[in-house]
Amino acid sequence: MSQQVRITSPASVPLKPLIEAALRDEARLLEWSIRRTLERLRHFETRYGMPSEEFERRFQIGELDDHPDFIEWFGELTFYRLLLAQRDALLGAEIQ
């Protein structure tokens, strides 16, 4: 799916460099968040002795209880995927 955004401004300064810089900054923030979230996922994987993919499968079929750590782990995994999608969307953007 392709999306298009049009930005207009009455300002006399060129917008394209400002928007490019803002997108780069946001991509850096997303990368930092991705690394931090991966650290949290690795913590849970080590603590419970299973990879996140196995945890997710077992949690979704009800094989694991609703322990607060499991709820947090599932949330971190969901957040990780959202961050990846946002980063990929930014990195795939083309400013004309």
Side-chain angles (χ1 to χ4, degrees):
M1 173 177 78
S2 180
Q3 299 180 51
Q4 186 174 5
V5 176
R6 181 178 176 176
I7 300 173
T8 59
S9 171
S12 61
V13 296
L15 283 180
K16 185 176 178 180
L18 294 173
I19 293 169
E20 289 171 336
L23 290 176
R24 280 192 307 274
D25 288 345
E26 184 63 20
R28 277 194 292 271
L29 287 172
L30 286 168
E31 287 293 342
W32 180 86
S33 295
I34 288 167
R35 284 192 306 275
R36 178 68 180 109
T37 304
L38 275 174
E39 289 174 12
R40 294 286 299 148
L41 292 173
R42 302 256 187 287
H43 164 78
F44 287 120
E45 291 172 346
T46 300
R47 184 172 185 176
Y48 293 100
M50 72 178 105
S52 289
E53 294 77 18
E54 179 184 344
F55 156 76
E56 181 179 36
R57 181 187 61 76
R58 293 177 65 191
F59 186 74
Q60 287 183 328
I61 63 173
E63 193 175 306
L64 302 172
D65 62 20
D66 289 339
H67 188 281
D69 277 358
F70 294 159
I71 293 169
E72 184 177 351
W73 190 355
F74 188 77
E76 290 287 344
L77 192 53
T78 302
F79 186 55
Y80 172 71
R81 290 185 179 130
L82 173 64
L83 291 170
L84 289 177
Q86 290 175 338
R87 182 206 56 197
D88 292 348
L90 278 182
L91 294 178
E94 179 183 329
I95 299 175
Q96 299 178 359

